[in-house]
Amino acid sequence: MSQKPEFVPITSSVSFYALQDDKFKSNRISIHFVLPLREETVSAYALVPMILSKGYRECPDFLSLSRKLESLYGGWIDAAIKKYGDLQILTLSAGGMDNTFALTGEDITGELCDMLCNAVFDPVLDENGYFPETTFRLEQQNLLDAIASMINDKRFYSVHRTVQEMYRGNAVGLNEYGTEEAVRALTPEKVTEAYRRMLAEAKVMIQFCGCGAPAPVREKMAARFADFRQAGSVAAAPLPDIDGREAQRITERLEVAQSKLVLGLRITPDYREKHTALRLMTMILGGTPSSLLFKQVREKQSLCYYCAARYYPSLGMITIDSGVEHEKAARAEAAILEQLSNMQKGRFTDREFEEARLAAINSYRTLGDALSSIDEYYWGRIMEGEIRTPEDMIALLSGVTRDDVIEAANQVTVDTVFLLTGQEGSK
Amino acid sequence: MKQTIVKNPRIGEQYYEIEHDSGLKVLCYPMERFQSAYALFGTRYGSIDRIFRDDPVKGFKTVPDGIAHYLEHKLFESEEGDAFGLFAKYGASANAFTSFDRTAYLFSCTEHFGDCLRALLNFVQSPYFTEENVEKERGIIGQEIRMYDDDPSWQVFFRLLGALYHTHPVKIDIAGTVDSIAKITPELLYDCYRSFYSLDQMALAIAGRFSVEEALSIVDELCLPKPPHFLEREVVKEPSSIVSAYASRSLDVALPLFQIGWKEPPCEGVDGLKAETEIMLLLSCMFGEGSKFYNDLRDDGLITAGLDLDAMWGRGYFLSMVGGESKDPKEVARRVAAQIARQKETGVEEADFQRVRRLLYGRAVLSFSRVSDVANSLLTSSFCDTGLFDRLEIIAAVTREDLIRRLKTSFLPERMALSAIYPKGKS
């Protein structure tokens, strides 16, 4: 079974978490900068890790950086922008094959750690101390393309739009990349300023995960982050209260062959912390091929290829989404609502309850088998503020009763019904 | 029963290859430090197997497009209900997939491995097709087809296949069309089942935490030797020329998507793997992130995200591909063609060769890190008639001269096609 990550504070605002497991063949190091998610700063912050991950003073362009990484057996440096409630998280990470497998004895992990730190602390700046115009323009376009391309994946786009509409007017509903207009209005000066603010104000969490020894990485990080002592703490604010309003209905039209129907369910504010019951309820409703939605909406009524429910603890919501024929969208919605109502009335069998619990336990047990999933799992726990192991989660799941699940189902309400459908009159 | 242990001292790992008396090939790769076991039971039957005969004195018959995939869906249903339920009671997850030349059924579990393996071997060997259950599936698969109709990556890929192949069924969508699946009947499904699901066509690949002994005793119990079954697939006569150098369509996408492909001479077995490896090395060398070409394209604003480099092969087809998103796919294709012409003149530089070889070596080592990846690679290597460690050894042994030789015979300009998906109204 997987052990708990070792936690070592580097300074008052920098924490280091290490998980070593020698069954893996690689290592990954992530530096997370946690900042408030705000409309006025979201786009400038989003661009920062994208620029930093493309080169630093010793490796000033993407060509030299890529060649160095390829020579390190396909090592990588990556940027990610995520949100957690009303927080924006900028992540720079590096990873690659462990030193043990190097053909000529290279210190791959040490090199990658240095490269990652250089990307954070030693970026390429022009004579005025700003990110160079050319790098800025390329990454600005990259970010614009990323925002525009969200529409390519219609399922993802529809769920994203549902979240946005549920929390319209609130930081939680913001896209972690910001908007096209905001990205267009950026300049190298504004983004460099955001970079400096990130270094000055962010809370920093560093994660190491892999088969290599964490100590050398921790020492390098301790030296580079020694001066980081940001005052105050950055923690997600309670989610906004959207309780009590009428369900809203949003329809968007595109030339699509299949409609995407998404139901956004809000959770009663006082109940949002009951993660385990909510998670299990979502699994029974639509988390597995044995769930009510899969069995009834897909298998019995043949209305769709997929119909699934997903729980988003950091957003205090659940989504149910399905891809259906345009003219059957209303039938699918009615069928989904019927299953939700069945959950609320306790109309699910003991077997369905137990199978969902077993499926959840199985997925927790399997987490430790992949570096990326265990890394991502502990990242979620770090953000929640309590480092629970997968075994702790299994113990919690084991304590959930049918009544807890029925109670959880009665704490959710349809808030938003989003439909992406074809042009009027289209088949 | 014949058992061989295949070892690789380079990464210190091994697996068991068993020729079972039933004709079934069994591949077992124990990974004891992992929590989960992952098993695939597959057959050499995919969407390209549309014309065949099961009696040497009778003529060839043609079955409706998409039937292998339809069969995959229907095998999941037994007289007692759907097969998902068999695994759900053990907390295991099950799934299946159909590709051009194979169909596989799989499960992942952390407990009750023996029960799960029994369930897998049983349900795949117990077809149950009725008018009613076959009819019910039509709506579900119809929606799966519609979902792919809206998927730009899928569409750009199949347009490329259509541009490269005249008659080879690789150009036909794996799920078929709404019209072709309308012709599928229980009798046709039984017919295909009898022809393609005999154990001598099949393989069982297992990786992770499990007992090889237990697995083999279950195989002994449930996979019984049967009289040999006659099967002959029609050999497709495919000219070496391509159909068209250009194919396009429009969809609701933000930026145009493109895929450039070359029709390569088909080759199979270890020769196919060697060709694939050398082509991947050449693609990385010419168009990878460490190439000047890639960085020029990026600096000139023709691409913002990465390029996808790939090679794909099977019975009677082999293609190399470069794909991505660009505001001007035709200009990218023009430059790609020019780069290839230049590279054919200059050959491959030693520094580039060493760099891309390390890149692919690193990737190959890391492909042994995940239980699911290892099990999938085992099945692939079995159906491609190669060994699991062959790729790693080919990369370790390949020379610059091999690449120069391959460059002469591959990427021929007259066998190159561009497929593009443009945003609506911009085609």
Side-chain angles (χ1 to χ4, degrees):
Chain A
M1 283 275 143
S2 55
Q3 72 268 39
K4 215 170 183 159
E6 183 199 359
F7 165 63
V8 183
I10 287 181
T11 72
S12 55
S13 60
V14 181
S15 344
F16 184 86
Y17 299 85
L19 188 75
Q20 188 183 14
D21 190 335
D22 62 11
K23 72 170 175 264
F24 295 119
K25 292 186 170 61
S26 57
N27 302 293
R28 53 193 295 151
I29 312 160
S30 305
I31 306 177
H32 308 284
F33 294 91
V34 183
L35 290 151
L37 179 63
R38 300 280 175 268
E39 198 170 354
E40 54 280 16
T41 52
V42 58
S43 293
Y45 276 146
L47 209 48
V48 171
M50 294 175 68
I51 291 177
L52 297 180
S53 66
K54 299 301 188 307
Y56 49 88
R57 212 148 46 86
E58 271 176 39
C59 252
D61 53 59
F62 193 61
L63 179 62
S64 53
L65 181 78
S66 302
R67 288 190 169 174
K68 187 160 183 178
L69 288 166
E70 287 183 354
S71 299
L72 287 169
Y73 301 89
W76 49 268
I77 289 187
D78 211 357
I81 300 112
K82 288 185 271 193
K83 67 175 183 181
Y84 186 94
D86 66 347
L87 298 177
Q88 186 181 17
I89 295 107
L90 313 179
T91 303
L92 276 153
S93 49
M97 190 176 86
D98 187 60
N99 301 352
T100 331
F101 304 100
L103 291 168
T104 42
E106 298 91 333
D107 177 14
I108 303 169
T109 313
E111 287 248 23
L112 287 171
C113 183
D114 289 339
M115 289 174 81
L116 184 63
C117 288
N118 287 337
V120 171
F121 290 106
D122 204 10
V124 183
L125 298 173
D126 66 13
E127 60 281 10
N128 302 314
Y130 299 124
F131 290 131
E133 180 76 23
T134 46
T135 315
F136 164 78
R137 288 280 163 230
L138 278 174
E139 292 313 315
Q140 182 189 38
Q141 191 56 48
N142 203 350
L143 187 55
L144 286 169
D145 290 350
I147 293 171
S149 294
M150 287 171 102
I151 204 168
N152 290 3
D153 181 340
K154 308 291 185 285
R155 182 176 182 181
F156 166 79
Y157 170 79
S158 301
V159 172
H160 170 79
R161 286 283 297 113
T162 307
V163 176
Q164 214 172 25
E165 291 295 341
M166 262 179 83
Y167 286 110
R168 180 164 284 286
N170 192 282
V172 182
L174 293 175
N175 175 2
E176 55 268 43
Y177 297 153
T179 60
E180 187 190 326
E181 299 71 44
V183 176
R184 285 198 193 283
L186 293 173
T187 61
E189 293 77 9
K190 285 181 186 166
V191 181
T192 315
E193 189 196 312
Y195 162 65
R196 299 213 162 98
R197 208 167 47 241
M198 173 190 94
L199 290 184
E201 294 174 8
K203 187 172 171 183
V204 181
M205 292 159 181
I206 304 168
Q207 265 183 290
F208 171 88
C209 192
C211 56
V217 174
R218 192 179 57 231
E219 279 162 28
K220 281 179 197 278
M221 290 294 176
R224 301 298 286 260
F225 281 92
D227 299 332
F228 264 66
R229 285 173 209 286
Q230 273 73 278
S233 78
V234 183
L239 289 161
D241 190 353
I242 53 169
D243 231 24
R245 68 184 183 195
E246 284 290 304
Q248 52 176 342
R249 208 165 258 286
I250 289 132
T251 301
E252 269 187 27
R253 290 187 186 276
L254 282 175
E255 282 187 36
V256 287
Q258 182 183 68
S259 293
K260 306 289 183 201
L261 171 69
V262 189
L263 272 67
L265 313 179
R266 63 171 182 261
I267 299 164
T268 312
D270 293 348
Y271 201 82
R272 282 175 183 152
E273 297 304 311
K274 306 257 186 177
H275 298 309
T276 319
L278 286 163
R279 196 168 274 136
L280 189 53
M281 190 278 287
T282 311
M283 291 283 283
I284 301 168
L285 178 62
T288 71
S290 309
S291 65
L292 303 188
L293 291 173
F294 190 92
K295 285 198 292 198
Q296 295 296 328
V297 185
R298 171 180 146 137
E299 293 294 305
K300 285 232 169 92
Q301 304 192 36
S302 300
L303 283 169
C304 58
Y305 174 61
Y306 69 86
C307 186
R310 192 170 166 194
Y311 172 47
Y312 297 81
S314 73
L315 297 173
M317 66 182 285
I318 289 165
T319 57
I320 298 172
D321 79 318
S322 181
V324 293
E325 259 179 70
H326 303 317
E327 54 270 36
K328 290 188 181 161
R331 251 181 79 191
E333 185 183 332
I336 290 168
L337 289 174
E338 191 187 343
Q339 294 315 311
L340 179 62
S341 160
N342 283 342
M343 282 297 308
Q344 290 167 334
K345 290 174 184 150
R347 288 183 189 148
F348 53 89
T349 63
D350 286 345
R351 184 176 164 177
E352 284 159 343
F353 173 80
E354 277 311 322
E355 286 182 354
R357 183 182 359 229
L358 286 171
I361 290 173
N362 190 58
S363 63
Y364 280 123
R365 287 211 176 108
T366 312
L367 273 173
D369 278 1
L371 198 57
S372 54
S373 50
I374 194 72
D375 199 45
E376 182 69 27
Y377 167 81
Y378 276 118
W379 161 243
R381 302 296 79 75
I382 292 168
M383 288 308 292
E384 278 175 12
E386 195 170 350
I387 314 287
R388 290 193 177 108
T389 64
E391 290 73 40
D392 297 336
M393 303 301 268
I394 291 170
L396 287 173
L397 267 172
S398 305
V400 178
T401 64
R402 266 185 76 92
D403 288 344
D404 294 336
V405 166
I406 296 167
E407 189 192 0
N410 283 290
Q411 303 297 326
V412 305
T413 314
V414 177
D415 181 275
T416 301
V417 180
F418 179 88
L419 181 68
L420 177 71
T421 190
Q423 301 295 349
E424 265 172 284
S426 73
K427 279 265 174 183
Chain B
M1 191 166 75
K2 189 181 144 212
Q3 181 174 308
T4 319
I5 301 178
V6 185
K7 295 186 179 188
N8 187 279
R10 200 179 290 281
I11 55 166
E13 307 223 353
Q14 64 176 41
Y15 67 96
Y16 301 83
E17 191 175 303
I18 298 112
E19 308 280 351
H20 190 254
D21 296 339
S22 61
L24 180 71
K25 170 86 82 76
V26 185
L27 301 137
C28 296
Y29 196 121
M31 298 162 82
E32 279 145 22
R33 308 260 340 273
F34 289 75
Q35 289 297 317
S36 59
Y38 192 101
L40 291 136
F41 188 25
T43 179
R44 296 176 190 243
Y45 174 46
S47 62
I48 62 172
D49 298 304
R50 54 193 292 280
I51 307 177
F52 61 94
R53 60 177 171 179
D54 49 13
D55 186 330
V57 294
K58 285 189 183 162
F60 282 91
K61 52 188 162 193
T62 305
V63 289
D65 293 334
I67 195 163
H69 172 255
Y70 210 107
L71 183 48
E72 173 230 298
H73 271 240
K74 284 327 304 168
L75 263 192
F76 253 97
E77 195 155 312
S78 70
E79 221 165 336
E80 292 83 44
D82 79 67
F84 287 120
L86 301 172
F87 297 93
K89 67 177 170 193
Y90 305 118
S93 58
N95 212 335
F97 63 84
T98 308
S99 69
F100 294 117
D101 51 11
R102 86 194 63 146
T103 310
Y105 304 82
L106 60 99
F107 71 81
S108 164
C109 71
T110 50
E111 284 184 327
H112 300 284
F113 168 77
D115 294 318
C116 292
L117 182 59
R118 268 196 188 84
L120 178 71
L121 296 177
N122 268 327
F123 93 78
V124 175
Q125 295 188 87
S126 317
Y128 175 68
F129 313 134
T130 63
E131 290 290 346
E132 194 192 347
N133 76 21
V134 170
E135 191 50 47
K136 187 209 77 179
E137 206 67 20
R138 243 182 277 281
I140 298 171
I141 298 180
Q143 283 312 305
E144 190 178 359
I145 292 170
R146 289 276 180 248
M147 184 176 79
Y148 283 106
D149 283 346
D150 287 331
D151 183 335
S153 312
W154 193 255
Q155 292 301 319
V156 76
F157 176 51
F158 273 90
R159 290 227 157 14
L160 174 68
L161 292 169
L164 293 178
Y165 289 91
H166 294 268
T167 54
H168 197 290
V170 72
K171 67 182 192 172
I172 299 167
D173 198 305
I174 291 166
T177 63
V178 171
D179 289 341
S180 73
I181 64 165
K183 299 179 195 121
I184 293 171
T185 61
E187 293 70 37
L188 279 172
L189 290 173
Y190 275 118
D191 212 12
C192 291
Y193 181 83
R194 274 190 298 271
S195 297
F196 293 101
Y197 281 72
S198 72
L199 292 172
D200 56 352
Q201 292 285 321
M202 301 181 74
L204 172 67
I206 314 169
R209 186 179 169 123
F210 70 103
S211 145
V212 177
E213 247 175 46
E214 184 187 12
L216 291 178
S217 86
I218 294 169
V219 171
D220 283 343
E221 181 193 325
L222 298 176
C223 297
L224 306 174
K226 287 190 185 127
H229 179 82
F230 179 83
L231 171 67
E232 187 182 354
R233 296 172 167 90
E234 188 207 43
V235 177
V236 183
K237 292 185 188 71
E238 173 67 34
S240 57
S241 65
I242 62 169
V243 179
S244 157
Y246 180 64
S248 73
R249 74 166 289 191
S250 59
L251 275 176
D252 265 313
V253 292
L255 258 186
L257 272 81
F258 67 89
Q259 201 143 27
I260 300 162
W262 294 264
K263 187 175 185 175
E264 308 287 0
C267 58
E268 293 172 22
V270 178
D271 289 343
L273 189 60
K274 191 162 189 317
E276 180 202 319
T277 308
E278 290 174 3
I279 281 173
M280 285 308 293
L281 286 162
L282 284 166
L283 285 170
S284 305
C285 184
M286 294 188 286
F287 310 118
E289 292 186 352
S291 70
K292 187 163 179 313
F293 175 89
Y294 175 89
N295 284 271
D296 287 347
L297 226 53
R298 206 174 153 263
D299 292 346
D300 295 345
L302 279 165
I303 50 166
T304 45
L307 288 175
D308 299 319
L309 313 176
D310 210 352
M312 186 186 97
W313 54 286
R315 289 194 301 272
Y317 63 91
F318 200 124
L319 61 151
S320 327
M321 289 172 282
V322 176
E325 288 183 42
S326 172
K327 62 184 181 192
D328 191 350
K330 285 185 176 169
E331 176 58 15
V332 174
R334 193 192 62 74
R335 291 200 192 189
V336 162
Q339 172 65 21
I340 286 183
R342 220 166 20 243
Q343 199 88 40
K344 280 181 185 266
E345 295 261 313
T346 58
V348 177
E349 287 194 19
E350 181 65 23
D352 290 337
F353 166 68
Q354 291 298 348
R355 199 184 65 246
V356 296
R357 192 165 72 110
R358 281 173 178 228
L359 166 70
L360 262 70
Y361 181 81
R363 280 188 199 159
V365 170
L366 296 191
S367 71
F368 295 96
S369 313
R370 287 174 88 124
V371 169
S372 55
D373 289 353
V374 171
N376 273 295
S377 303
L378 274 174
L379 192 76
T380 302
S381 62
S382 169
F383 287 166
C384 291
D385 301 312
T386 60
L388 182 63
F389 300 124
D390 288 358
R391 185 190 302 277
L392 198 62
E393 293 309 309
I394 289 171
I395 299 170
V398 73
T399 65
R400 191 168 72 97
E401 289 66 37
D402 291 332
L403 291 201
I404 294 170
R405 226 176 353 257
R406 182 72 61 187
L407 189 53
K408 286 189 180 133
T409 55
S410 298
F411 304 107
L412 299 181
E414 65 275 21
R415 299 202 193 137
M416 170 177 151
L418 164 68
S419 162
I421 302 287
Y422 292 95
K424 289 269 179 202
K426 291 185 188 166
S427 182

